[in-house]
Amino acid sequence: MMDTEVVAEGELREWATTHKITAKTVDLFAKDGFSSMDAVELLDKEDLSQSNIPRGQQKLVLKAL
């Protein structure tokens, strides 16, 4: 992983922790190609509903965005 990717993932994990979003949810983001805050900020309800992210976590993500 390149340094910029490590920094982007670190920022994403820090944001997630701040908003009570689990590490497992962040891992699922990454699996779906949302591995940076820039990408996560583009998520919408449809993206989340098509993911394997639990509904409660989906709601926390939407609230945080």
Side-chain angles (χ1 to χ4, degrees), residues 9-26 29 37 57 60-61 64:
E9 185 175 334
E11 289 174 351
L12 177 57
R13 289 188 184 279
E14 184 177 323
W15 169 82
T17 300
T18 301
H19 296 284
K20 298 181 181 161
I21 297 165
T22 66
K24 182 176 179 179
T25 296
V26 175
F29 284 160
M37 280 307 303
Q57 286 288 293
L60 288 173
V61 169

Side-chain angles (χ1 to χ4, degrees), residues 28-65:
L28 291 169
F29 284 160
K31 182 180 176 190
D32 286 341
F34 296 95
S35 57
S36 70
M37 280 307 303
D38 288 337
V40 169
E41 289 172 348
L42 298 173
L43 281 168
D44 58 26
K45 278 185 174 184
E46 184 178 336
D47 294 322
L48 290 171
S49 69
Q50 294 176 4
S51 71
N52 289 324
I53 296 170
R55 287 183 62 197
Q57 286 288 293
Q58 289 180 27
K59 291 190 178 287
L60 288 173
V61 169
L62 291 171
K63 181 180 175 184
L65 295 174

